[in-house]
Amino acid sequence: MTIEASHKTTTGSGGSAHAEQLLEMYRRMRRIRRFEERASVLYKATEIPGFLHLSIGQEASAVGACWPLGPGDGITSTHRGHGHVLAKGLDTASMMAELMGKEAGTNHGRGGSMHIADPRLGIYGANGIVGAGLPIAAGVATAAKLRAAGDVVVAFFGDGAVAQGMFHEAVNLAAVWDLPVVFLCENNHYSEFSPASAQHRATLSARAAGYGIDYAHVDGNDVLAVAGLMNDVVERLRGGAGPVLVEAETYRWHGHYEGDPERYRPAEEVAAAKERDPLLVARKHLAAAGVPAVLADAVDEEIDKEIEAAVEWARSLPEPDPETLHDFVSAPRSEVPEPAPADGEVFRSMDAVRLALEHELTADPDVFIAGIDVGAGGNVFGLTRGLADAFPGRVRDTPISESAVLGAAVGAAMAGMKPVVEIMYMDFIGVAFDMLLNQAAKLRFMTGGRASMPLVVRTQFGAGRSSGSQHSQSLEALLAHIPGLTVVMPSNPADTYGLLRAAILDPNPVIFVENRLQYGLKGPRPPADHLIPLGKAKVVREGTDITLVSWSRMVQDALAAADLLAAEGISVEVIDLRTIAPLDRETVLASLAKTNRLVIAHEAVRDFGVGAELSALAVDEGFWHLDAPVTRVAPPHVPAPYAPSLERVWLPSRDTIAETLRRIAAV
């Protein structure tokens, strides 16, 4: 269905009210224009570092789209996002300071031009990754729908983002879930240097029909037309309608970035576009409404003074103190004491997962679960069976769209929810790596702490059953290398329960990695309030001769190997890391100081892994304690093989660990 644009700007009537609204629209557009013009000059003068992408020529689409939005509504933006965030209500002074990299900037100088955000104002981030704001918007809209608050979200994107997989996944997820989100394309006819005709064959109206959602086209240079259309669209969404795709046709006057030589378009084309200057169009509307030109001129003067004051204020400010380099990477986590050992009835690791999820769903209405077949199907391993019926609407099946699933978690977390999303196999994280690498891990830092990120990504792995190279990988080193992510890998049922609960309660993004070969592992059940502190390893077997560090399922092999060595008179201390990042260096170093020997066993391939990090730790901070070489027991740098004969050689075992321990003990 196609929605027609109108020039309605208010549900009321009266020429005076209409004129006042027109003048306010003009004021907001003029603010964007002047802000961008001054930013261009400051950039050329090297007062603004980094990259700068300006939205001059696109003011009407930003102001018109945000016109009907209230404080509870949200937006996501793009790398060309100054106009959007100004239209949503961010102040010019803190924004200018942010562009200059000052401590008093919107995000304490951590985000800059492409990453401005303030979730308190419903601004869930400009974004340096093309298309990344779309799945995040779906997450913010999910939070709005679960809370039934009547709020809506506008996801700005450019025509170039249509080629991104995240566009397809986000729009499809929003359609399937009937989310209150407007996907607003500012079609400025260029994807960086390439004309839209060279990037796409299908129209946006055809794409909308393919997703089964409504579509509307509007003159993006006419603020009255955009605002009128958006009034109608937003009103429908507040009433329960599903997502809408809006195409606002406009044009950017400057290059893709400041300094762009613009060899890809003729000057005549730009000049012709300027004849449809959004500010001139708005001036014509003002004249038609009987607003004297002197009032618009007064607005120009008022905004000029506002922007100049913002520039002078920002210039006077200090940059962030170098001592604050580590600020905002992660939110402080509560101190959790090490609990007493579990001593209840026997249960399995798979029971631990379900019980932990059930406990947190019951305790906190902000917790919800989403993933492929986690609802009606109860998860491919049956881990969430029954939860969808027990918590209607809060255990949600998704399409096979990992980027949308993780992006929705990021957006929902920023909107105050506590999402727990599932990626069916750890190998599939690669499909959606941007949402972990550039969004979940970095947004708290890039927003100077304004973005909260309490989310959990549950996934699983496990070699040893001929699952092959795309269903067996242990990728914790890849994830642990990313500042801002917490990576957890439990080794037994009680820890699975306590660590998963702690992860859901934590204010940071946590990747919770289960080993599917342990789902049937049995152990004593802990009490319901059982919590394991994140970031703390545990000595699971005391010893005096060798320190053996491991995690996940390999801990069981490590303990078995230690039993073999004990019969031979060699005392092995076994440490279960439990949390990979942040790494508990203190526990490892304390054990090394006692035993003077270190062996590390893990299921991930040996090269460039967590074992290498532990080896570096021992050689750096524990060097004077070492009486033997630090040694790793791990698969060779070869993908996980399928044939059982090859997999047995590839994967370490109790016996290969024991053999290494004997060798190191003899040094």
Side-chain angles (χ1 to χ4, degrees), residues 292-310:
V294 65
L295 291 182
D297 293 340
V299 167
D300 291 350
E301 185 178 347
E302 167 198 335
I303 294 300
D304 286 349
K305 290 178 179 178
E306 175 189 326
I307 300 302
E308 288 309 308

PDB file of all heavy atoms in Angstrom, residues 292-310:
ATOM      1  N   PRO A 292       5.765  37.655   7.552  1.00  0.00           N
ATOM      2  CA  PRO A 292       6.652  38.679   6.981  1.00  0.00           C
ATOM      3  C   PRO A 292       8.086  38.171   6.861  1.00  0.00           C
ATOM      4  O   PRO A 292       8.576  37.444   7.736  1.00  0.00           O
ATOM      5  CB  PRO A 292       6.561  39.830   7.992  1.00  0.00           C
ATOM      6  CG  PRO A 292       5.288  39.588   8.751  1.00  0.00           C
ATOM      7  CD  PRO A 292       5.118  38.114   8.805  1.00  0.00           C
ATOM      8  N   ALA A 293       8.767  38.556   5.799  1.00  0.00           N
ATOM      9  CA  ALA A 293      10.146  38.127   5.578  1.00  0.00           C
ATOM     10  C   ALA A 293      11.061  38.560   6.706  1.00  0.00           C
ATOM     11  O   ALA A 293      12.062  37.896   7.005  1.00  0.00           O
ATOM     12  CB  ALA A 293      10.656  38.677   4.250  1.00  0.00           C
ATOM     13  N   VAL A 294      10.698  39.677   7.354  1.00  0.00           N
ATOM     14  CA  VAL A 294      11.542  40.182   8.428  1.00  0.00           C
ATOM     15  C   VAL A 294      11.625  39.184   9.582  1.00  0.00           C
ATOM     16  O   VAL A 294      12.645  39.090  10.273  1.00  0.00           O
ATOM     17  CB  VAL A 294      11.026  41.550   8.924  1.00  0.00           C
ATOM     18  CG1 VAL A 294       9.648  41.428   9.574  1.00  0.00           C
ATOM     19  CG2 VAL A 294      12.020  42.181   9.898  1.00  0.00           C
ATOM     20  N   LEU A 295      10.554  38.403   9.792  1.00  0.00           N
ATOM     21  CA  LEU A 295      10.591  37.400  10.861  1.00  0.00           C
ATOM     22  C   LEU A 295      11.553  36.268  10.520  1.00  0.00           C
ATOM     23  O   LEU A 295      12.284  35.775  11.385  1.00  0.00           O
ATOM     24  CB  LEU A 295       9.185  36.845  11.111  1.00  0.00           C
ATOM     25  CG  LEU A 295       8.180  37.817  11.734  1.00  0.00           C
ATOM     26  CD1 LEU A 295       6.840  37.123  11.974  1.00  0.00           C
ATOM     27  CD2 LEU A 295       8.724  38.371  13.055  1.00  0.00           C
ATOM     28  N   ALA A 296      11.567  35.841   9.264  1.00  0.00           N
ATOM     29  CA  ALA A 296      12.518  34.815   8.846  1.00  0.00           C
ATOM     30  C   ALA A 296      13.942  35.348   8.924  1.00  0.00           C
ATOM     31  O   ALA A 296      14.879  34.627   9.316  1.00  0.00           O
ATOM     32  CB  ALA A 296      12.198  34.337   7.437  1.00  0.00           C
ATOM     33  N   ASP A 297      14.124  36.619   8.564  1.00  0.00           N
ATOM     34  CA  ASP A 297      15.452  37.226   8.664  1.00  0.00           C
ATOM     35  C   ASP A 297      15.911  37.268  10.120  1.00  0.00           C
ATOM     36  O   ASP A 297      17.099  37.061  10.416  1.00  0.00           O
ATOM     37  CB  ASP A 297      15.435  38.645   8.095  1.00  0.00           C
ATOM     38  CG  ASP A 297      15.208  38.672   6.591  1.00  0.00           C
ATOM     39  OD1 ASP A 297      15.432  37.629   5.939  1.00  0.00           O
ATOM     40  OD2 ASP A 297      14.795  39.734   6.076  1.00  0.00           O
ATOM     41  N   ALA A 298      14.976  37.533  11.012  1.00  0.00           N
ATOM     42  CA  ALA A 298      15.315  37.565  12.433  1.00  0.00           C
ATOM     43  C   ALA A 298      15.747  36.183  12.924  1.00  0.00           C
ATOM     44  O   ALA A 298      16.650  36.059  13.765  1.00  0.00           O
ATOM     45  CB  ALA A 298      14.124  38.069  13.246  1.00  0.00           C
ATOM     46  N   VAL A 299      15.093  35.139  12.388  1.00  0.00           N
ATOM     47  CA  VAL A 299      15.495  33.770  12.726  1.00  0.00           C
ATOM     48  C   VAL A 299      16.921  33.522  12.258  1.00  0.00           C
ATOM     49  O   VAL A 299      17.746  32.940  12.976  1.00  0.00           O
ATOM     50  CB  VAL A 299      14.528  32.748  12.100  1.00  0.00           C
ATOM     51  CG1 VAL A 299      15.114  31.339  12.164  1.00  0.00           C
ATOM     52  CG2 VAL A 299      13.184  32.786  12.799  1.00  0.00           C
ATOM     53  N   ASP A 300      17.244  33.966  11.042  1.00  0.00           N
ATOM     54  CA  ASP A 300      18.602  33.800  10.528  1.00  0.00           C
ATOM     55  C   ASP A 300      19.616  34.430  11.476  1.00  0.00           C
ATOM     56  O   ASP A 300      20.658  33.830  11.800  1.00  0.00           O
ATOM     57  CB  ASP A 300      18.733  34.444   9.148  1.00  0.00           C
ATOM     58  CG  ASP A 300      17.951  33.710   8.068  1.00  0.00           C
ATOM     59  OD1 ASP A 300      17.463  32.596   8.344  1.00  0.00           O
ATOM     60  OD2 ASP A 300      17.839  34.253   6.956  1.00  0.00           O
ATOM     61  N   GLU A 301      19.323  35.633  11.918  1.00  0.00           N
ATOM     62  CA  GLU A 301      20.235  36.345  12.808  1.00  0.00           C
ATOM     63  C   GLU A 301      20.357  35.635  14.154  1.00  0.00           C
ATOM     64  O   GLU A 301      21.454  35.487  14.705  1.00  0.00           O
ATOM     65  CB  GLU A 301      19.745  37.783  13.010  1.00  0.00           C
ATOM     66  CG  GLU A 301      20.692  38.638  13.825  1.00  0.00           C
ATOM     67  CD  GLU A 301      20.199  40.079  13.959  1.00  0.00           C
ATOM     68  OE1 GLU A 301      19.263  40.461  13.221  1.00  0.00           O
ATOM     69  OE2 GLU A 301      20.759  40.810  14.800  1.00  0.00           O
ATOM     70  N   GLU A 302      19.219  35.178  14.660  1.00  0.00           N
ATOM     71  CA  GLU A 302      19.206  34.458  15.940  1.00  0.00           C
ATOM     72  C   GLU A 302      20.073  33.195  15.865  1.00  0.00           C
ATOM     73  O   GLU A 302      20.880  32.914  16.767  1.00  0.00           O
ATOM     74  CB  GLU A 302      17.754  34.086  16.271  1.00  0.00           C
ATOM     75  CG  GLU A 302      17.585  33.082  17.403  1.00  0.00           C
ATOM     76  CD  GLU A 302      16.204  32.442  17.382  1.00  0.00           C
ATOM     77  OE1 GLU A 302      15.243  33.056  16.854  1.00  0.00           O
ATOM     78  OE2 GLU A 302      16.083  31.313  17.886  1.00  0.00           O
ATOM     79  N   ILE A 303      19.912  32.423  14.792  1.00  0.00           N
ATOM     80  CA  ILE A 303      20.661  31.170  14.652  1.00  0.00           C
ATOM     81  C   ILE A 303      22.144  31.446  14.436  1.00  0.00           C
ATOM     82  O   ILE A 303      23.004  30.736  14.972  1.00  0.00           O
ATOM     83  CB  ILE A 303      20.083  30.323  13.503  1.00  0.00           C
ATOM     84  CG1 ILE A 303      18.662  29.867  13.846  1.00  0.00           C
ATOM     85  CG2 ILE A 303      20.978  29.128  13.208  1.00  0.00           C
ATOM     86  CD1 ILE A 303      18.553  29.021  15.100  1.00  0.00           C
ATOM     87  N   ASP A 304      22.467  32.488  13.661  1.00  0.00           N
ATOM     88  CA  ASP A 304      23.874  32.836  13.465  1.00  0.00           C
ATOM     89  C   ASP A 304      24.561  33.086  14.807  1.00  0.00           C
ATOM     90  O   ASP A 304      25.683  32.620  15.049  1.00  0.00           O
ATOM     91  CB  ASP A 304      24.000  34.076  12.582  1.00  0.00           C
ATOM     92  CG  ASP A 304      23.701  33.788  11.119  1.00  0.00           C
ATOM     93  OD1 ASP A 304      23.594  32.591  10.766  1.00  0.00           O
ATOM     94  OD2 ASP A 304      23.573  34.757  10.340  1.00  0.00           O
ATOM     95  N   LYS A 305      23.882  33.815  15.676  1.00  0.00           N
ATOM     96  CA  LYS A 305      24.445  34.111  16.995  1.00  0.00           C
ATOM     97  C   LYS A 305      24.580  32.835  17.827  1.00  0.00           C
ATOM     98  O   LYS A 305      25.583  32.639  18.535  1.00  0.00           O
ATOM     99  CB  LYS A 305      23.568  35.129  17.723  1.00  0.00           C
ATOM    100  CG  LYS A 305      23.612  36.524  17.120  1.00  0.00           C
ATOM    101  CD  LYS A 305      22.678  37.474  17.875  1.00  0.00           C
ATOM    102  CE  LYS A 305      22.732  38.883  17.283  1.00  0.00           C
ATOM    103  NZ  LYS A 305      21.783  39.805  17.979  1.00  0.00           N
ATOM    104  N   GLU A 306      23.577  31.970  17.743  1.00  0.00           N
ATOM    105  CA  GLU A 306      23.616  30.712  18.500  1.00  0.00           C
ATOM    106  C   GLU A 306      24.812  29.855  18.079  1.00  0.00           C
ATOM    107  O   GLU A 306      25.545  29.330  18.928  1.00  0.00           O
ATOM    108  CB  GLU A 306      22.317  29.931  18.273  1.00  0.00           C
ATOM    109  CG  GLU A 306      22.304  28.549  18.933  1.00  0.00           C
ATOM    110  CD  GLU A 306      21.104  27.722  18.525  1.00  0.00           C
ATOM    111  OE1 GLU A 306      20.007  28.301  18.306  1.00  0.00           O
ATOM    112  OE2 GLU A 306      21.244  26.486  18.424  1.00  0.00           O
ATOM    113  N   ILE A 307      25.019  29.721  16.784  1.00  0.00           N
ATOM    114  CA  ILE A 307      26.104  28.863  16.304  1.00  0.00           C
ATOM    115  C   ILE A 307      27.460  29.480  16.613  1.00  0.00           C
ATOM    116  O   ILE A 307      28.408  28.773  17.006  1.00  0.00           O
ATOM    117  CB  ILE A 307      25.958  28.593  14.794  1.00  0.00           C
ATOM    118  CG1 ILE A 307      24.616  27.900  14.497  1.00  0.00           C
ATOM    119  CG2 ILE A 307      27.122  27.750  14.283  1.00  0.00           C
ATOM    120  CD1 ILE A 307      24.403  26.600  15.223  1.00  0.00           C
ATOM    121  N   GLU A 308      27.578  30.813  16.469  1.00  0.00           N
ATOM    122  CA  GLU A 308      28.855  31.451  16.782  1.00  0.00           C
ATOM    123  C   GLU A 308      29.191  31.303  18.263  1.00  0.00           C
ATOM    124  O   GLU A 308      30.347  31.083  18.629  1.00  0.00           O
ATOM    125  CB  GLU A 308      28.830  32.924  16.385  1.00  0.00           C
ATOM    126  CG  GLU A 308      28.872  33.150  14.887  1.00  0.00           C
ATOM    127  CD  GLU A 308      29.998  32.396  14.204  1.00  0.00           C
ATOM    128  OE1 GLU A 308      31.161  32.530  14.644  1.00  0.00           O
ATOM    129  OE2 GLU A 308      29.719  31.658  13.234  1.00  0.00           O
ATOM    130  N   ALA A 309      28.163  31.413  19.106  1.00  0.00           N
ATOM    131  CA  ALA A 309      28.388  31.227  20.541  1.00  0.00           C
ATOM    132  C   ALA A 309      28.836  29.791  20.825  1.00  0.00           C
ATOM    133  O   ALA A 309      29.718  29.552  21.667  1.00  0.00           O
ATOM    134  CB  ALA A 309      27.108  31.560  21.319  1.00  0.00           C
ATOM    135  N   ALA A 310      28.236  28.821  20.114  1.00  0.00           N
ATOM    136  CA  ALA A 310      28.626  27.416  20.286  1.00  0.00           C
ATOM    137  C   ALA A 310      30.071  27.195  19.875  1.00  0.00           C
ATOM    138  O   ALA A 310      30.834  26.484  20.554  1.00  0.00           O
ATOM    139  CB  ALA A 310      27.696  26.517  19.467  1.00  0.00           C
TER     140      ALA A 310
END
